[in-house]
Each structure stands twice: as structure tokens, then as C-alpha cells.
Amino acid sequence: MTENTQQQTAPTTELPTQYAPAEVEGPLYERWVERGYFEADAKSEKPPYTIVIPPPNVTGSLHLGHAFEHTLIDALTRRKRMQGFETLWQPGMDHAGIATQNVVERELAKEGKSRHDLGREAFVERVWQWKAESGGQISGQMKRLGDGVAWSRERFTMDEGLSQAVQTIFKKLYDDELIYRAERIINWCPRCLTAISDIEVEYQDDEGELVSIRYGEGDDSLVVATTRAETMLGDTAVAVHPDDERYKHLVGKQIKLPLTDRSIPVVADTHVDPEFGTGAVKVTPAHDPNDFEIGQRHNLPNLAVMDERAVITAHGPFQGLDRLEARSAIVAALRAEGRIVAEKRPYTHSVGHCSRCKTTIEPRLSMQWWVKVGPLAKAAGDAVRDGKVKIHPQEMEKRYFDWVDNLHDWCISRQLWWGHRIPVWYGPNGEVVCVGPDEQPPTGEGWHQDTDVLDTWFSSGLWPFSTLGWPEQTESLAKFYPNSVLVTGYDILFFWVARMMMFGLYAMDGTPPFHTIALHGMVRDQNGKKMSKSFGNVVNPLDWMDEYGSDAVRFTLANGANPGVDVPIGEDWVKASRNFANKIWNATRFALMNGATIEGELPPVEQLSATDRWILSRLNATVAQVDAYYEDYQFAKLSDALYHFAWDEVFDWYVELSKTTFFAGGEQAKVSGRVLGEVLDVMLRLLHPIVPFVTEALWTTLTGGESLVIADWPKDSGFRDEAAEAEIENLQQVVTEVRRFRADQGLQPGQKVPARLELGGTALAAHEAAIRQLLRLQPEGEGFSATASLPIGGATVALDLSGTIDVAAERKRLAKDLAAAEKEKAQAEAKLGNEAFLAKAPDNVVDKIKGRLAKADEDIARIQTQLANLPQA
């Protein structure tokens, strides 16, 4: 009923009584790698399917965010491999410039040394040594998770091939006048001692102070407010709006700058908001991006008053003070001169911090290298607008356009030693030469290379094509570019995705780096709170893998993965997934012990029971449903569909309904055994991309096949049997309702009860033995008295409860519950009937009371039915 083209042999291995993930996972993964299942052949005639790994930092280790993302990518690639695609999941790591340099510098500090003690060449060699010894531990952790990556193709953003790609695209951009060097205001980290880009600045609300300072004297004075009083030493003007009548008499005049011997002009500029504060602002062009723009418009000098460590360099009593020390000292000096008009402390405002070390960043005028992003960003936006690239979920497009349509030029130079060094040489007479990878740098006295390195995102932006051999026109590049899909978090849509889009379109003649961008959310704790060391809620996924198995962690993560939405996860959910893996194991083991097989063809439809036809119909519907969810990146929905099909329909219903057939033996048992084998075969294939280890162990035992990794993905044959589905749904209704009634009467699940089944001419008659077994119903016998009669789905189940329950006590208990439900109903109706209450109560409160009323009505109806069905005293 489902297509299955791979040939298998009869199973030869028995399953252990219990599933032990620790004993199964490691050996299975080693076998997959040894047999080369995850490798990709550029010469293959199969259609390509390519995904690159978002390269983790070489300094990193596997956290839940990695495990989540890798689970989704692995599921996609495993399925595509089974569908017959030449599948490449490209692995690799990022050199992580600032983070890695910080790690090695901390190691040196333990030895009482700095990088300057070693010198540049020796320090870089030390970083390579650290990488070889300690870096990249995440690779081993990826194997624990089951990542099906092509390990032979592993790349590093500083390896020789990627270095050539970086130098090539830098030269190309430089020659096309899309890279330039200029003095601009940049975000400077006084701790990391380097420029950082806008997207590497994290903003948070900090408590500071807002001081209002009087500049000038008498009528020729005005008041400015600042949170950074230390920068006033670098003021070169005060700006007001041209239409502000309060200050027109001052525009063009010079006023005294307090604490200095300088006078500065008052300039008129439309950037100033006359409604904000006093309508006058201090202008410090060397220490503020907006002030820099004002300074450019009015030809103001740029006066830097801090060094690279944010220490004051201006002459005077504040020289040598740290910026925060200087702030306090300057405010005190101004207060002593009577210049402080007002102080607001504490004053909470948004402050930028270095995303790497959390130090407050300092805007600083600096000579840096820049990418002119205008034409590149336009191409990146147009590719999505024109449909060349689809963003999933679609509502994320707006966030993407908001970013790429408003990009500022990108500062790409970093004042580090670890990274791709800028391939530009300077000559003794002011010459500037950009050198390509196949060109010799100029030599001779006075020539030297730029000391800066490139932003890490510059090299990782080339990842989709540099890892395939670009700039060489390799077979891999021809086969596997563009990528089929990029799976990544919405949090790096701006950091990484936009860079790849710009560079891919530019370097690859307008071909975008991927067809689809599938964005997922962030992993949070079970209460929806961000995971953070400071919150004490960070989880090491390896701990959960040790305790519950990798499949349990993977299934939990996939089951929470709705597109673009954050994913809550808690240990109880991982335990539930572990139970699911155990259920798959135990139920499959039971099925194998009771005749489940894939040997021979499926019997023709006329030989199948209604139960067999029902499960095969549901199986094909599940195949179709799972396929549709995969194509829409709906991992949560496909995981939920597989869970309920496996647990509810296969194990809880089909296996249980078939037990009487198996126990009876004969031809029908053989037929059902073949059907069950087919169902398990397909179900394990469907589950494999999400839970690869337990399914591999079970499937190879069931089928004798080589590996699920290279097995065929199931196809929907189109077989549906609506009549069989309706028949079994009717049976399920009978069993479910009687079970509920038994529970309501306080009967134990295993307690046997005499019963008469009046199935009449319904199709349920064929299932009487199964119904009795599932419900623990004995034949009527002598003295049978139908004390309760349940009409359900065209049938009647009459039960003899005499002697099984204390009817008087049960009536008393139910009467008490009924009184409580009726009281709850009366209270809810009274509130909802009170017009004064409804006029004042919030909507959510009213909705809650309506819910209580509906629940009370349900309880009353249920209890009244239970009372009516009780035997007469």
C-alpha cells in the first residue's frame, strides 16, 4: 500500500529487552561515518540538496541552541538523502576573531605575559596551537547528537582555501570601488581594543546621570544636557535649530567652553530638535556619530580627547583619568564653578555594550576600512522581493527589509592580530596597493602591510560558496551552489544572513546563495525565559543526552519548533520523549515476537481485515501529512503527527486490536503480521530523520536492511479506505466511552466485569472479541443483571456492576460533586447577569467566568449521566 523499493532480507538479530541509548548511539554513528553515508559526491547524477552549517565559533561548545538548530538541519538532510538527493550538509567552524584572541590572551595572562611580549607572528602561532589542542570541541559533541555532516569536507574560516576566497573578494570589491578607507566615527571597545560593527553592539538600559551645564556668560550663554560630561573637553561647537528664536542672537558667535581656555562657535543645524531639552546640544565630532555629521556640515575640527583605552588625553587636570573617573571629576569641577544648572541621578538610558566582553563601547573617530553596502544591499533586498529567495515564515520578510533597506556602510577592519589580515600595502611615498591572492606584494624599503584584520562576518559571509572551492570553478561549486535552504535563527538575520546574501549575489553573478531562508526562534526554558548563566537556567544538552539519550533531546527540540517562534524546553519534556523512544522500542519488540514481518508482498485488499485496512489507510495519510509539513518547515506539527500516529494509532490501537488475531494464529495472523511489519517499516522510516538512533536499531532488526540512512523515503501510494476508517473510529468510540464510564465508576483498569454486547447488524460485530479484551468484559454467564446500559455508536454495552461497586456510596459521592457543580454554575450565572459587573470587568476576567460556566455545565451533564447509569439500589 506504500511504495517500498529497497530490498531487505529477513531479520537475524533479536532485540534486547530494554533500550539503552548509551550502548546504541556511539557505535551506530561510527558505522555511519565509516561507511561514508554522509559524504557527498560532486560527480553524482542525483539532484543536489545542500545546507551549510552556521559555523560555530572555534571557542564554543554545544549548547541547546546549537542542538536545536542541528536537529532541524539533520532532519531535513536525512530525509532528502532518503528521497534520492545527493545531499551535502557542509560542516565547519568560524575563527571568531575577537572571541578567540580574548581566550588566548587570557591564557597568556596566566603566564604573566601579553600578546605584545610575543609579537604578532608568535602570537598568531600560539592561537593556531590553541586551536589544535583545545579548539573545536564542538565537533565531538555534534557526533553525539547524530549530525549527518560530510566530515571529509570540514572547513575553517582561516584555512588556506577560505583565505584565498577572502583575499579574492576583497580585491574584487576594492577594484570595483566598493571597499574604501576613511576616517569615520566607529564603535570602539576599550577592552578588546578594536572597532566593532553596529550589529555587534548590544544595547541595555544603564543607570547614569544627566547633567545640565551652562556654557558662556550672561545673555550670551546657553544650557546643554549630557550623560557623558567627560566628552565636553572635545566640544568644538554648540548647535541649535535655525528657527529657534531663543538662540538666533547667538548663531555665529563664540562662547566660552567651561574648564578650558577655548571658545567655540554656536552653529545652526536642522538635526537639533528644539522641543527636546533646552534645544541646544554640545557638538563633539570626534566622539559622537551625529556630532560628526554636524561637524562635517559646518567644517568643525575633530578634537579627540580619549585614547584607545578610553583614558583622557586632553591637557589639563583630567589627563590620564579613565573616562568614568573623568566624568565625576569634571562634574565636580563644573559644580565648583557654578556651571551645573541641574542634575538627574540616577538617569536610566540605553547604552551600547560590546557583545563579546560587555564593556561599554565608546564612539571614536578612527581611520578604518569600509564596504560601500548601497548596491550590495539593494541586490539583497531585490532578490527577496523578486521571489528568487523566499523567507520562511513570510512575516519575517518585513524585518529583513527593514534592515537591508537601511544599511549603513559596513566597517570591516578590526584592530586585532587573529584573523584575515587586510591585503593592502602602503609605500614610502603614500602609495596604496591592494594585492590579490595570485599577486606578489610590493617589496622594498618603506613598504608595509596594513596591520588590521577583517571582521569575522566578512569571511563567514562567503561561507556558502567559499567552502565549495570558490574562487576556483570546482565540481563541488557547480554541483552544490546555490544552497537549497539556509536554516538559522532570526537573531542572526542581520549578522550573517544579510552578509551572505550581499556577497553571494555579488561574487556568483547574481545567483543568490540559497533558495530559501528558514528562520527559527531561540531556545528558552520551560517558563519561556531566556537561558542565561545569570538566571541559573542554562542547560548543557550533553547532560540530557547522557541521561535520556540523544533521540529524546532531538525529539523534544523538534516537537517545539514552530517557524520563527521561540522554543520553550524543560527536562520533563525530555523525559516524555525518552518514554516515547522506549515505547517505540518495546512495541516493536513485541511486534517482532508476534509475527511482524516484511517478508513477501503485502496481501491483496480482499484478504485484509477492516483493522488492517484502517491502519494502512492511516499510514498513507500520515506519509502525505508529514511530507507536507516538511515542505513547509513545520517541524513541531510533523513531530506531533508522528508521535500520535505511532503511539496512539499503531501501538495503542492497531497492536491491541490485533492481539486476538495473533493469539488465535492461522492465516489471518500471518496477514496481520505482514501488515504490522509494513506499518513498522514505514513508520520507522518516517521517524528516522528526527530520532535516528532508535529507529536505525529497530529497522535493521525488523528488515535486515543495511541502514535507514540510505533507505528509501516512504511514498504515499494513495490507498485510502474511508469505510474501514469509519468502522474503526466507531469501535474506538465504544471502547473510549466504556473506559470512561468504568473510570467514573471507580473500577480498576484490569477489573473484569460481566457484559452483554448488543452489536446488532453493525460492523462492530466482527470486533466483539477485541472489544471484550480491550475493556476486560467477561461473557454474561448465569445470573447476569444489566445494571448499566450504555448506547454508543449504534451499539449497546450492558454491564453488570452488582458486586463491583458500593452503589450507595457512589451515589452519595456523585450527589456531592453535582451540588458543587451546580453552585459553581449559579455563581458564574449571577456574575454574568450583573450589568454593573460586566461594565467594569476586563474582557479576560469575563472570558474566564464564561469558561467556568461552560465547565460547570459539562460537569453537571457528566455527573447526571453517571447517576442515571448507576444500578438501582
Side-chain angles (χ1 to χ4, degrees):
M1 304 300 167
T2 57
E3 291 193 19
N4 181 356
T5 59
Q6 182 169 341
Q7 296 297 313
Q8 292 93 14
T9 59
T12 57
T13 307
E14 291 187 1
L15 291 169
T17 54
Q18 291 184 321
Y19 178 51
E23 297 174 11
V24 171
E25 294 174 352
L28 275 185
Y29 191 85
E30 288 180 11
R31 188 172 72 189
W32 291 336
V33 174
E34 287 170 2
R35 295 183 178 182
Y37 292 154
F38 304 139
E39 297 302 326
D41 183 3
K43 299 181 186 298
S44 169
E45 294 184 2
K46 296 178 182 178
Y49 186 81
T50 317
I51 296 182
V52 294
I53 191 173
N57 287 352
V58 69
T59 56
S61 61
L62 189 75
H63 55 65
L64 268 179
H66 287 128
F68 172 56
E69 186 168 77
H70 290 200
T71 294
L72 305 188
I73 299 175
D74 197 41
L76 290 172
T77 52
R78 284 178 182 270
R79 172 175 174 262
K80 284 297 182 180
R81 191 179 292 112
M82 294 172 75
Q83 286 183 315
F85 286 78
E86 192 61 36
T87 303
L88 170 61
W89 182 9
Q90 173 68 56
M93 288 182 290
D94 192 285
H95 66 279
I98 296 177
T100 304
Q101 180 156 321
N102 284 346
V103 167
V104 178
E105 286 197 79
R106 283 196 296 269
E107 293 296 315
L108 284 174
K110 295 176 184 176
E111 304 170 13
K113 297 179 182 178
S114 73
R115 60 181 165 123
H116 299 285
D117 294 325
L118 272 67
R120 183 169 193 145
E121 187 174 336
F123 176 77
V124 171
E125 182 60 36
R126 181 70 176 261
V127 180
W128 279 108
Q129 180 184 337
W130 174 87
K131 176 190 178 292
E133 295 173 358
S134 307
Q137 62 176 315
I138 201 168
S139 296
Q141 296 164 343
M142 288 166 60
K143 295 174 182 177
R144 283 286 313 278
L145 188 64
D147 286 2
V149 298
W151 287 112
S152 70
R153 292 174 172 266
E154 188 174 9
R155 303 303 299 269
F156 180 54
T157 50
M158 285 278 286
D159 68 30
E160 184 178 350
L162 269 66
S163 295
Q164 183 183 26
V166 167
Q167 197 171 350
T168 298
I169 201 161
F170 187 99
K171 170 73 170 172
K172 181 175 170 60
L173 288 162
Y174 182 87
D175 290 346
D176 288 345
E177 298 183 350
L178 293 173
I179 281 184
Y180 63 94
R181 192 167 184 248
E183 192 174 45
R184 300 267 186 88
I185 291 285
I186 47 90
N187 303 301
W188 180 264
C189 176
R191 159 63 184 79
C192 298
L193 300 180
T194 181
I196 59 175
S197 64
D198 291 344
I199 53 179
E200 292 172 304
V201 178
E202 293 179 349
Y203 287 91
Q204 66 184 49
D205 288 340
D206 287 357
E207 284 192 358
E209 60 181 353
L210 180 68
V211 293
S212 298
I213 309 167
R214 181 173 299 282
Y215 284 23
E217 306 293 342
D219 292 338
D220 289 347
S221 69
L222 34 67
V223 175
V224 300
T226 182
T227 59
R228 302 167 68 222
E230 69 277 10
T231 64
M232 68 166 291
L233 300 176
D235 287 358
T236 55
V238 173
V240 298
H241 194 277
D243 299 331
D244 194 331
E245 295 294 334
R246 294 171 294 177
Y247 304 118
K248 279 198 171 182
H249 69 289
L250 289 177
V251 174
K253 289 187 176 182
Q254 297 280 324
I255 60 171
K256 182 76 166 48
L257 178 65
L259 305 182
T260 73
D261 58 0
R262 293 190 293 117
S263 293
I264 57 176
V266 177
V267 299
D269 196 281
T270 55
H271 171 76
V272 180
D273 180 1
E275 303 298 322
F276 184 77
T278 64
V281 297
K282 59 191 287 297
V283 182
T284 321
H287 293 280
D288 183 274
N290 293 321
D291 292 3
F292 177 78
E293 297 297 331
I294 294 174
Q296 292 290 295
R297 288 192 289 272
H298 297 277
N299 297 314
L300 299 175
N302 301 316
L303 183 59
V305 294
M306 275 183 255
D307 68 11
E308 60 182 9
R309 298 183 185 275
V311 172
I312 300 299
T313 59
H315 295 297
F318 311 108
Q319 186 175 6
L321 296 180
D322 171 80
R323 56 182 166 169
L324 298 182
E325 296 172 333
R327 183 177 301 169
S328 298
I330 288 171
V331 170
L334 289 168
R335 191 182 299 113
E337 289 190 4
R339 292 282 177 179
I340 300 295
V341 176
E343 296 181 69
K344 186 174 182 181
R345 188 184 297 112
Y347 177 72
T348 302
H349 59 130
S350 182
V351 178
H353 296 260
C354 172
S355 63
R356 300 294 182 185
C357 70
K358 311 308 177 186
T359 301
T360 301
I361 63 103
E362 189 65 43
R364 186 169 189 250
L365 187 63
S366 180
M367 182 68 76
Q368 301 286 343
W369 286 93
W370 304 80
V371 172
K372 186 183 297 182
V373 299
L376 302 175
K378 182 180 185 304
D382 290 346
V384 174
R385 288 188 174 92
D386 298 344
K388 289 182 181 178
V389 178
K390 290 182 169 55
I391 293 180
H392 186 87
Q394 191 173 1
E395 53 265 28
M396 287 286 181
E397 283 187 2
K398 182 181 184 302
R399 186 180 294 196
Y400 176 79
F401 291 136
D402 286 347
W403 178 256
V404 298
D405 292 348
N406 297 286
L407 268 179
H408 300 296
D409 283 1
W410 173 18
C411 177
I412 56 171
S413 45
R414 299 291 180 266
Q415 289 64 56
L416 304 171
W417 286 356
W418 172 246
H420 292 283
R421 196 162 171 181
I422 289 176
V424 172
W425 272 255
Y426 304 105
N429 300 312
E431 302 96 332
V432 179
V433 177
C434 181
V435 178
D438 300 322
E439 300 171 350
Q440 290 296 320
T443 57
E445 186 177 350
W447 284 94
H448 63 279
Q449 187 178 358
D450 197 300
T451 58
D452 289 351
V453 300
L454 288 163
D455 178 10
T456 297
W457 297 106
F458 190 94
S459 51
S460 61
L462 314 180
W463 192 248
F465 52 93
S466 63
T467 51
L468 298 173
W470 188 90
E472 301 299 323
Q473 297 304 306
T474 64
E475 288 182 325
S476 290
L477 187 64
K479 178 73 174 179
F480 296 113
Y481 187 91
N483 289 193
S484 306
V485 60
L486 172 73
V487 179
T488 192
Y490 63 70
D491 57 315
I492 58 172
L493 182 62
F494 319 129
F495 285 87
W496 190 45
V497 179
R499 311 301 186 203
M500 288 190 290
M501 285 286 284
M502 290 191 296
F503 281 165
L505 290 159
Y506 173 74
M508 300 300 293
D509 299 322
T511 302
F514 18 75
H515 298 301
T516 301
I517 301 168
L519 298 172
H520 59 71
M522 310 289 289
V523 176
R524 297 181 177 271
D525 71 13
Q526 60 192 25
N527 299 313
K529 194 173 185 179
K530 181 180 178 180
M531 287 191 174
S532 166
K533 290 181 181 178
S534 61
F535 296 152
N537 61 352
V538 173
V539 174
N540 183 346
L542 296 175
D543 293 340
W544 281 352
M545 288 184 216
D546 290 340
E547 182 73 18
Y548 306 111
S550 297
D551 284 332
V553 174
R554 290 171 61 114
F555 190 81
T556 305
L557 290 165
N559 204 32
N562 290 298
V565 178
D566 288 346
V567 183
I569 184 172
E571 188 168 3
D572 286 345
W573 303 341
V574 184
K575 289 179 183 177
S577 296
R578 185 268 316 273
N579 295 343
F580 179 46
N582 288 341
K583 181 74 171 180
I584 298 170
W585 182 273
N586 294 334
T588 303
R589 184 171 180 273
F590 170 85
L592 286 168
M593 292 170 59
N594 287 275
T597 180
I598 63 155
E599 291 186 50
E601 297 294 325
L602 266 179
V605 174
E606 56 270 17
Q607 292 183 20
L608 303 179
S609 67
T611 309
D612 295 334
R613 286 182 277 115
W614 163 74
I615 196 61
L616 289 172
S617 182
R618 292 296 309 131
L619 176 66
N620 278 281
T622 301
V623 171
Q625 188 178 42
V626 167
D627 275 335
Y629 286 146
Y630 262 115
E631 295 305 313
D632 200 34
Y633 304 100
Q634 297 281 358
F635 295 98
K637 290 182 178 179
L638 73 89
S639 299
D640 188 64
L642 286 169
Y643 176 90
H644 288 293
F645 175 73
W647 195 307
D648 299 347
E649 296 184 298
V650 178
F651 303 144
D652 279 0
W653 285 107
Y654 182 73
V655 170
E656 292 299 320
L657 288 171
S658 299
K659 279 183 178 178
T660 53
T661 303
F662 289 138
F663 296 160
E667 286 303 313
Q668 193 56 49
K670 292 180 180 178
V671 169
S672 292
R674 179 64 186 89
V675 170
L676 181 53
E678 179 77 8
V679 170
L680 291 175
D681 176 16
V682 174
M683 182 195 76
L684 292 171
R685 293 170 193 255
L686 291 174
L687 281 164
H688 176 72
I690 304 292
V691 285
F693 294 109
V694 67
T695 53
E696 174 84 341
L698 293 172
W699 185 86
T700 51
T701 302
L702 169 70
T703 68
E706 181 182 344
S707 174
L708 262 177
V709 179
I710 55 171
D712 292 335
W713 181 254
K715 294 181 181 178
D716 174 16
S717 69
F719 175 77
R720 301 289 190 278
D721 191 324
E722 294 181 3
E725 290 200 32
E727 183 175 326
I728 301 304
E729 284 173 12
N730 195 15
L731 180 153
Q732 291 172 327
Q733 182 186 7
V734 170
V735 172
T736 301
E737 290 298 322
V738 175
R739 280 176 173 167
R740 183 180 293 118
F741 175 77
R742 286 176 56 111
D744 288 342
Q745 305 309 315
L747 295 175
Q748 295 300 312
Q751 188 173 351
K752 294 183 178 181
V753 178
R756 179 172 63 245
L757 304 187
E758 298 173 3
L759 306 177
T762 68
L764 291 175
H767 302 284
E768 180 170 351
I771 292 172
R772 285 188 177 276
Q773 179 180 321
L774 290 169
L775 292 172
R776 304 296 189 267
L777 302 180
Q778 295 177 319
E780 299 169 44
E782 279 189 40
F784 177 83
S785 174
T787 56
S789 183
L790 307 176
I792 310 165
T796 300
V797 179
L799 303 172
D800 183 354
L801 301 180
S802 58
T804 60
I805 59 173
D806 185 335
V807 176
E810 187 65 12
R811 280 190 180 280
K812 186 176 180 180
R813 182 184 71 81
L814 289 173
K816 183 179 178 181
D817 290 347
L818 181 61
E822 288 174 337
K823 181 180 179 181
E824 174 75 1
K825 178 180 179 179
Q827 290 175 341
E829 286 180 334
K831 285 190 175 182
L832 293 174
N834 184 335
E835 294 297 333
F837 170 78
L838 292 177
K840 296 179 181 178
D843 290 344
N844 65 319
V845 173
V846 175
D847 289 341
K848 188 174 181 179
I849 294 171
K850 288 180 179 178
R852 284 169 49 193
L853 177 59
K855 177 67 166 55
D857 282 333
E858 290 177 7
D859 289 344
I860 290 168
R862 175 178 55 79
I863 296 167
Q864 287 175 339
T865 300
Q866 289 175 241
L867 283 166
N869 285 324
L870 275 176
Q872 296 301 311

